[in-house]
């Protein structure tokens, strides 16, 4: 089965590489994209979308369907990781640390359990004492990283950024928390249920804005049709619609990043890992 999988991967990769032979050279000024689409976008994008960031306007407006399915692919990647790796079986070995003395206790019987509290805490097999300097530095940095992530999402229609970038930055701050403290500290703050709901909510926000435009009498993802629902400047409604889908993308990307990380490092058990 592994050999068959290797053959399929090699054949698929070979076909993809063969297909690239028909693509124009990188940066070719005579390519169709450079001679038709690029000029149109540069000349009309601000007038038609009210968004000065050309990349955001193309991704969320002109190419809104493509970006929506990209977000769905990100969600499916997290779901596939969950289905393949999640293991709900209890671990065979359990480790507890006596907090006052630091003595580690190892229970080989999975039925033997202790209630974590002020005296004992559940530990990883490869637990090592946390570095106070690393923990302190990360505790200071993480809020700033998260604020910057929110800025990247919220300001994506005016400057470089957007939902994908902001979601990755926010997700990396949560992963940094797991690395500097431990996996349990992260899962106490963002539970598996919380991450799953957020991953689905991000996709639903994107699709919901598109459906709402249809309900208002327009086409799918025609943000301009949302003007009666927005009490602010009607001319800026399209930009606000793009901000909405960017928020959905950011939420989905952040949640899926953490889901993939948690399931890989803990081998799907969520009981121990880096």
């Amino acid at each position: 089965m592994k050999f068959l999988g290797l053959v399929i991967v090699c054949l698929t990769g070979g076909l993809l590489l063969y297909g690239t032979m028909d693509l124009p050279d990188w940066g070719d000024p005579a390519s169709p994209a450079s001679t038709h689409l690029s000029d149109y976008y540069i000349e009309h994008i601000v007038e038609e979308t009210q968004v000065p960031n050309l990349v955001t306007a193309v991704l969320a407006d002109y190419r809104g369907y493509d970006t929506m399915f990209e977000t769905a692919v990100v969600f499916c990647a997290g779901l596939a990781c969950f289905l393949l790796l999640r293991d709900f079986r209890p671990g065979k070995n359990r480790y507890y640390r006596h907090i006052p003395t630091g003595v580690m206790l190892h229970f080989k019987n999975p039925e033997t359990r202790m209630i974590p509290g002020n005296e004992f805490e559940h530990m990883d097999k490869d637990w090592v004492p946390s570095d106070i300097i690393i923990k302190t530095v990360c505790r200071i940095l993480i809020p700033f990283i998260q604020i910057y992530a929110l800025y990247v999402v919220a300001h994506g229609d005016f400057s470089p950024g957007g939902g994908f970038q902001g979601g990755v930055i926010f997700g990396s701050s949560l992963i940094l928390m797991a690395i500097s403290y431990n996996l349990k500290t992260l899962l106490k703050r963002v539970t598996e249920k919380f991450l799953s709901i957020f991953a689905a909510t991000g996709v639903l926000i994107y699709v919901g804005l598109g459906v709402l435009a249809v309900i208002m009498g327009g086409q799918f993802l025609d943000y301009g049709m949302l003007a009666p629902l927005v009490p602010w400047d009607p001319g800026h409604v399209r930009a606000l619609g793009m901000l909405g889908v960017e928020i959905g993308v950011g939420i989905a990307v952040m949640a899926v990043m953490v889901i993939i990380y948690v399931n890989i490092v803990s081998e799907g058990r969520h009981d121990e890992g880096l």
Side-chain angles (χ1 to χ4, degrees):
M1 181 60 89
K2 292 183 178 178
F3 178 75
L4 178 61
L6 177 64
V7 172
I8 294 174
V9 169
C10 291
L11 286 176
T12 305
L15 289 173
L16 291 174
L17 289 175
Y18 179 75
T20 61
M21 296 176 64
D22 292 333
L23 296 177
D25 294 334
W26 179 261
D28 183 4
S31 67
S34 300
T35 55
H36 297 84
L37 291 176
S38 298
D39 292 341
Y40 180 85
Y41 288 152
I42 293 172
E43 294 173 0
H44 298 90
I45 240 175
V46 175
E47 177 186 355
E48 294 182 350
T49 68
Q50 304 297 316
V51 172
N53 186 349
L54 272 62
V55 176
T56 297
V58 171
L59 292 179
D61 197 321
Y62 292 99
R63 218 187 66 178
Y65 281 90
D66 185 76
T67 306
M68 182 185 70
F69 285 114
E70 286 178 352
T71 308
V73 168
V74 170
F75 172 75
C76 291
L79 181 62
C81 184
F82 172 83
L83 294 175
L84 292 174
L85 297 178
R86 190 69 174 96
D87 185 358
F88 291 98
R89 294 174 299 179
K92 296 181 180 179
N93 298 311
R94 289 186 174 274
Y95 298 85
Y96 294 91
R97 187 173 79 96
H98 186 232
I99 298 175
T101 62
V103 175
M104 293 288 291
L105 303 177
H106 178 197
F107 295 93
K108 294 184 178 180
N109 185 353
E111 301 298 331
T112 304
R113 300 191 177 198
M114 301 185 69
I115 301 176
N118 295 329
E119 191 169 358
F120 290 94
E121 62 179 344
H122 186 203
M123 303 305 301
D124 294 350
K125 178 179 64 177
D126 301 320
W127 176 82
V128 294
S130 300
D131 190 294
I132 187 65
I133 297 177
I134 294 176
K135 289 172 64 175
T136 303
V137 171
C138 290
R139 178 180 291 180
I140 295 172
L141 287 179
I142 287 172
F144 289 99
I145 295 173
Q146 294 177 343
I147 291 173
Y148 179 66
L150 297 176
Y151 168 81
V152 169
V153 174
H155 215 251
D157 53 342
F158 287 97
S159 60
F164 288 104
Q165 296 84 348
V168 168
I169 295 171
F170 203 101
S172 65
S173 72
L174 299 178
I175 293 174
L176 179 62
M177 181 189 299
I179 294 174
S180 58
Y181 286 77
N182 52 58
L183 192 61
K184 294 181 183 63
T185 302
L186 171 64
L187 291 175
K188 284 180 182 177
R189 288 163 173 75
V190 285
T191 63
E192 183 180 27
K193 182 179 180 180
F194 172 88
L195 293 171
S196 302
I197 292 175
F198 260 55
T201 301
V203 180
L204 290 176
I205 288 175
Y206 202 134
V207 178
L209 284 172
V211 173
L212 189 59
V214 175
I215 295 174
M216 296 299 294
Q219 296 181 348
F220 191 73
L221 292 178
D222 184 3
Y223 310 115
M225 299 304 298
L226 305 178
L229 303 177
V230 182
W232 300 297
D233 179 16
H236 197 56
V237 170
R238 298 194 71 84
L240 294 176
M242 287 180 232
L243 173 61
V245 300
E246 293 286 1
I247 291 173
V249 172
I251 291 174
V253 170
M254 177 276 297
V256 169
M257 267 192 65
V258 180
I259 288 173
I260 293 175
Y261 173 82
V262 169
N263 282 286
I264 289 179
V265 299
S266 68
E267 298 180 347
R269 295 196 306 273
H270 292 200
D271 57 351
E272 62 179 52
L274 181 63

